Amino acid sequence: MSELNVEIDLAKCLTQHGFVLHMNEIFQFPGDFWNAVSVVDSGMQDLGWIAERRINITLVNLNKAKKKPNDGPNHGLK
């Protein structure tokens, strides 16, 4: 079985917008993709355009991401 192993460094995308852009870079969401966390959530439910049948995602620096404030226009990850 083919596998795709992905490591996402949350220290490199401390805002929701940064996270969405990073996820799009990694997974190459279809052309109708727009920058919103809800769209990433929907896209992750059906990754049919990816050839690998198994996808392993590792999140690193989660504690650093949790320290980013969740207020203001450039709010952090929840």
Side-chain angles (χ1 to χ4, degrees), residues 19-65:
F19 176 73
V20 169
L21 292 177
H22 191 57
M23 293 295 284
N24 190 31
E25 288 173 15
I26 293 168
F27 293 105
Q28 299 295 304
F29 293 112
D32 58 353
F33 173 82
W34 49 283
N35 296 329
V37 173
S38 61
V39 176
V40 170
D41 183 45
S42 296
M44 296 301 289
Q45 300 298 318
D46 176 19
L47 296 171
W49 63 91
I50 296 176
E52 291 83 1
R53 301 306 331 148
R54 182 179 177 105
I55 302 169
N56 303 305
I57 301 171
T58 303
L59 300 175
V60 296
N61 289 318
L62 184 59
N63 286 336
K64 189 169 187 173

